[in-house]
């Protein structure tokens, strides 16, 4: 399914800050790094996360939010450096949905 216009998201995102745990995996699904981050916005199917030290190369990640009881593997749809110098990861959840 294709979507038009400048809005590339299929679901609306809410501005919401949550502390999250992120684990980075290689193609063999071996853990290569983990860190804390925070969400900037969230939808049922994905989020934008702000992190300090994402590895340059990884194939998959697992994101969890203990305060919300949420955990999912996720794929990175976009990645960029924010004006503050921190990585931004735009994620699509693969096996769970966020509940509000």
């Amino acid at each position: 399914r294709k979507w038009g216009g400048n809005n590339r998201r299929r679901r609306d995102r809410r501005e919401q800050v949550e502390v999250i745990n992120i684990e980075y995996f290689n193609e063999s699904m071996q853990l290569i790094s983990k860190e804390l981050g925070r969400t900037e916005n969230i939808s049922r199917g994905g989020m934008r996360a702000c992190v300090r030290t994402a590895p340059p190369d990884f194939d998959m990640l697992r994101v969890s939010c203990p305060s919300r009881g949420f955990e999912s593997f996720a794929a990175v749809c976009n990645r960029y450096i924010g004006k503050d110098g921190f990585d931004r990861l735009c994620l699509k959840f693969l096996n769970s949905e966020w509940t509000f």
Side-chain angles (χ1 to χ4, degrees):
R1 186 172 85 149
K2 291 186 178 184
W3 58 92
N6 293 329
N7 184 3
R8 56 187 163 72
R9 293 188 186 111
R10 296 177 193 252
R11 299 178 179 182
D12 290 334
R13 288 198 179 175
R14 296 181 187 179
E15 300 301 313
Q16 185 172 338
V17 177
E18 299 281 349
V19 175
I20 54 174
N21 298 311
I22 298 180
E23 299 172 301
Y24 302 95
F25 296 90
N26 65 16
E27 64 185 24
S28 302
M29 292 304 290
Q30 293 176 325
L31 180 66
I32 55 175
S33 179
K34 56 184 173 178
E35 68 177 318
L36 290 176
R38 64 175 163 78
T39 64
E40 292 187 335
N41 59 46
I42 305 171
S43 75
R44 293 178 66 80
M47 69 173 53
R48 183 174 65 221
C50 177
V51 297
R52 186 177 300 261
T53 57
D57 292 315
F58 60 93
D59 291 292
M60 178 82 54
L61 59 83
R62 180 168 42 211
V63 60
S64 61
C65 182
S67 67
R68 308 282 274 178
F70 176 81
E71 183 177 289
S72 180
F73 281 99
V76 176
C77 302
N78 192 16
R79 179 180 182 171
Y80 64 95
I81 305 291
K83 291 179 183 179
D84 57 6
F86 293 115
D87 277 333
R88 298 307 195 279
L89 303 176
C90 299
L91 307 177
K92 178 182 177 185
F93 303 140
L94 299 177
N95 59 327
S96 294
E97 285 193 346
W98 188 272
T99 55
F100 292 98

